Amino acid sequence: MENDREEPRLPSPRGPLSGAVLDHLRGTGPLPEEHAVAGADPYGDDLQLALYLCYELHYRGFAGVSPDREWDPDLLRTRAALERRFLTALRADTPVHDSVDAAVGDLLVEPADGEGVSHHLCEKGELWQLREYAAHRSLYHLKEADPHAWVLPRLTGRAKAAMAAVEFDEFGGGRADRVHARLFADLMTDLGLDTTYGRYLDAACAEALAIVNMMSLLGLHRETRGALVGHFAAVEITSSPGSRRLAEAMRRAGAGPAAAFFYDEHVEADAVHEQIVRHEVIGGLLADEPHLAPDIAFGIDVTEFLEGRLATRLLEAWRAGASSLRTPLDAPTATEVPHIS
């Protein structure tokens, strides 16, 4: 990955909340008042970017921002207010199944007339749409599995052992060249995208930020460990069929071998992971802490809820012939344009 060790640059503000957080990180202004957070759109660009900035301090940080900001008490209070606003909205707006079995059961059923993003890209997606999709997803995939690792110290027994086994695969099984974040960077290279960590933060929409923020929120709090496990189950159960369609989309568009390989890898790996997560991670957690069943169901359903919002954003834009990004991508240079073999 190019610039793998460099800290990303701070993005541009998207409103008063994110502007105030950026000013605080630079040491040039105060943080937003709690009443301003309480009145903000929980899914909007401004709150989502402000929350993303707070969380990113626990990952790579930002260039020019002191590492001490990670545990800045004032910033943590602001983060808590942002989290309350976001999580309260998610709990109010997400339709939740009555049981874990019902939530998992619905995930296992592939709709006959699928109309999601992977279906669109597989059947008629154009190369520019694949590039946009990768730019949005880079906010997570360039740190793939990192948000989920936060839950490991919060699990025990079967659930912990199984979760660690799946994470080991996500991190390449001990091989640096097989780390999934590395494989996604290779995919981006095939698509003529910049692999610099955080490069597309300014371009990514609020719906994409919300998904990554949800992962960090659930992973960083012990009280939401059940929801994080549910989220992880939703990802692993739905990944294999979706990845199969995306691999086909990459091949059909002539995106390059590394682009197709990233999703081919997930077709095989996540078919195995699905079984481990269902029977050992969820099963082990419920055996130890049965009272977490509603949280696991919430984690599954909130993932579907937020993914649905992103899908609506992408498909509405693409069907109108418009960019789904806040700022359209530059065209790849002649040496970066993928070739159909």
Side-chain angles (χ1 to χ4, degrees), residues 158 281-290:
R158 284 170 55 200
V281 181
I282 290 180
L285 184 58
L286 286 176
D288 290 341
E289 301 185 89

Side-chain angles (χ1 to χ4, degrees), residues 65-330:
V65 175
S66 170
D68 292 343
R69 290 296 190 192
E70 181 179 4
W71 301 111
D72 178 337
D74 292 331
L75 190 59
L76 290 175
R77 279 190 288 271
T78 295
R79 194 190 90 184
L82 294 165
E83 287 176 329
R84 281 194 299 273
R85 181 69 176 132
F86 184 36
L87 187 56
T88 298
L90 290 176
R91 291 197 181 280
D93 297 339
T94 302
V96 180
H97 284 83
D98 292 334
S99 70
V100 174
D101 286 344
V104 170
D106 279 352
L107 289 179
L108 292 170
V109 178
E110 275 272 289
D113 55 347
E115 298 180 346
V117 172
S118 66
H119 292 88
H120 170 87
L121 291 174
C122 180
E123 295 164 10
K124 53 191 172 185
E126 300 179 38
L127 186 59
W128 68 271
Q129 295 170 346
L130 291 169
R131 296 180 77 237
E132 288 198 354
Y133 183 73
H136 282 301
R137 292 297 194 185
S138 69
L139 298 185
Y140 165 64
H141 281 304
L142 289 180
K143 61 174 176 238
E144 183 168 341
D146 288 353
H148 308 132
W150 297 114
V151 82
L152 285 170
R154 313 177 197 287
L155 302 177
T156 59
R158 284 170 55 200
K160 183 170 193 157
M163 188 76 185
V166 175
E167 286 283 277
F168 183 65
D169 286 348
E170 302 285 349
F171 295 134
R175 291 178 52 187
D177 63 320
R178 301 286 293 196
V179 171
H180 285 187
R182 168 72 260 179
L183 297 180
F184 193 79
D186 294 340
L187 172 150
M188 295 177 73
T189 298
D190 264 5
L191 290 172
L193 296 171
D194 188 340
T195 64
T196 303
Y197 183 91
R199 166 65 177 79
Y200 296 106
L201 176 54
D202 272 325
C205 63
E207 291 84 354
L209 291 179
I211 292 170
V212 185
N213 284 338
M214 175 266 293
M215 298 180 193
S216 297
L217 191 161
L218 299 182
L220 283 166
H221 291 273
R222 192 179 70 83
E223 67 178 344
T224 54
R225 62 195 179 280
L228 189 281
V229 165
H231 154 71
F232 193 63
V235 171
E236 296 299 322
I237 291 170
T238 60
S239 174
S240 189
S243 292
R244 184 176 293 107
R245 288 187 288 270
L246 289 169
E248 178 57 31
M250 294 293 176
R251 277 188 281 268
R252 186 178 58 78
F261 179 77
F262 175 81
Y263 290 110
D264 284 334
E265 170 75 6
H266 282 72
V267 171
E268 181 177 347
D270 291 344
V272 176
H273 292 170
E274 173 205 327
Q275 298 295 318
I276 297 173
V277 172
R278 284 172 57 199
H279 298 296
E280 297 302 316
V281 181
I282 290 180
L285 184 58
L286 286 176
D288 290 341
E289 301 185 89
H291 63 281
L292 293 181
D295 290 340
I296 296 172
F298 171 71
I300 292 171
D301 291 325
V302 76
T303 303
E304 294 296 286
F305 172 70
L306 289 177
E307 288 287 350
R309 295 184 79 255
L310 176 60
T312 298
R313 163 76 180 232
L314 299 183
L315 294 175
E316 286 183 351
W318 292 343
R319 287 166 180 162
S323 174
S324 64
L325 294 163
R326 298 179 71 248
T327 53
L329 297 172
D330 293 332

Side-chain angles (χ1 to χ4, degrees), residues 9-68:
R9 293 178 297 177
L10 286 168
S12 299
R14 303 189 188 183
L17 298 181
S18 54
V21 172
L22 284 163
D23 287 344
H24 183 77
L25 293 178
R26 295 187 181 104
T28 60
L31 287 162
E33 298 289 338
E34 188 166 343
H35 68 83
V37 175
D41 177 358
Y43 306 114
D45 277 296
D46 192 25
L47 184 141
Q48 289 301 322
L49 179 59
L51 191 52
Y52 186 94
L53 291 167
C54 293
Y55 286 143
E56 194 56 36
L57 298 174
H58 298 296
Y59 295 103
R60 301 287 187 90
F62 292 99
V65 175
S66 170
D68 292 343

